[in-house]
Amino acid sequence: MSTGKTITLITGANSGIGFELAAQLLAKGTHHVLLGSRSPSKGRAALQRLQALESPGTASLIHLDVTDDTTIAAAVAQIETEHGHLDILVNNAAIGRAGETDTRKAMRECFDTNATGPAMLGYAFEELLGKSRDPMRRIVNVSSGAGSVGRMFDPNRRAVTGLGRTIPYQASKAALSMVSAQQSLDFAPHGVKVLCWNPGFTVSDLGPFNKVEHGAKPVEVAVRPLVEILEGKRDAEANVFLSEDGGKYPW
């Protein structure tokens, strides 16, 4: 099936940043958005909410759990059959595990979703991304300033407090930086850009701290810079850790 639109896969698209990104891209009318959702029922509900907006873009559901290689392989096969290529991959799915008392368990789960998942997904879609002829073909890994090692030592850093240690999340996002750096080299021969971006502290389902009362910004505001990145407006800053305010973080 050829839609003439940019084929864009978003993981964790049934809520938060992923859902809002899908909504903003559909409003442009130039994307066919693949809603990656670990839960088929939540994914179907999200798709129905998006379709109710009656935007000019199109969307469909992809059952995709980034920690499950079976669903990854099935997603690759589905997209290959239905579209023959993939133009944009947004690795947005993430977990926080704040307050988890079993640190080993939290480390394992955060790494599997936040770092290993994007690594596996990127390489699984390497061939389909390589077939893209879209000038904006790319992978965007949604990260966090909490994963910046250099930023940890900034005395002006704003940190969320009162929620216990969040090292599983922080360490997994630091690992995502290395995944992004390595994949930027690996995908360059295909003409596929790989960028790492931090949305800032945003309202989401990531954890109990991502609330307005804690200072989190509205998701619609957080996502606008990501849309600009997908449109190539920050391509001159490749190979850096892009921040939400138009700047960059130290790795």
Side-chain angles (χ1 to χ4, degrees), residues 157-181:
R157 178 177 70 96
R158 178 188 174 196
V160 178
T161 59
L163 293 166
R165 293 178 179 173
T166 57
I167 191 170
Y169 177 75
Q170 292 171 268
S172 67
K173 288 298 188 178
L176 181 59
S177 292
M178 182 56 75
V179 170
S180 302

Side-chain angles (χ1 to χ4, degrees), residues 71-249:
T71 70
I72 292 175
V76 171
Q78 180 179 342
I79 294 171
E80 182 172 24
T81 298
E82 296 179 354
H83 304 284
H85 68 281
L86 180 65
D87 298 313
I88 295 175
L89 168 61
V90 180
N91 279 312
N92 165 72
I95 58 174
R97 292 294 184 263
E100 171 64 65
T101 56
D102 186 337
T103 302
R104 183 177 295 279
K105 177 174 179 284
M107 292 286 284
R108 182 172 59 248
E109 292 179 348
C110 280
F111 268 78
D112 202 10
T113 298
N114 302 346
T116 306
M120 299 300 293
L121 211 61
Y123 292 119
F125 281 105
E126 183 172 6
E127 182 176 347
L128 290 182
L129 285 163
K131 291 180 179 179
S132 171
R133 294 299 174 262
D134 193 301
M136 294 297 108
R137 55 192 181 274
R138 64 196 53 222
I139 296 173
V140 177
N141 291 323
V142 179
S143 189
S144 169
S148 166
V149 177
R151 184 170 172 267
M152 287 294 294
F153 299 100
D154 182 351
N156 298 315
R157 178 177 70 96
R158 178 188 174 196
V160 178
T161 59
L163 293 166
R165 293 178 179 173
T166 57
I167 191 170
Y169 177 75
Q170 292 171 268
S172 67
K173 288 298 188 178
L176 181 59
S177 292
M178 182 56 75
V179 170
S180 302
Q182 183 62 57
Q183 289 190 338
S184 70
L185 299 175
D186 293 344
F187 284 79
H190 302 297
V192 176
K193 292 185 180 296
V194 180
L195 302 105
C196 189
W197 173 74
N198 164 52
F201 189 36
T202 303
V203 173
S204 73
D205 295 331
L206 183 64
F209 45 94
N210 291 82
K211 308 293 183 185
V212 172
E213 55 267 31
H214 295 144
K217 61 183 161 184
V219 66
E220 60 270 19
V221 174
V223 165
R224 288 173 197 152
L226 178 53
V227 173
E228 293 182 351
I229 289 171
L230 297 186
E231 294 174 338
K233 295 179 180 177
R234 298 190 67 180
D235 280 4
E237 304 170 79
N239 303 326
V240 298
F241 188 172
L242 303 174
S243 67
E244 77 279 10
D245 57 1
K248 61 183 180 181
Y249 281 144

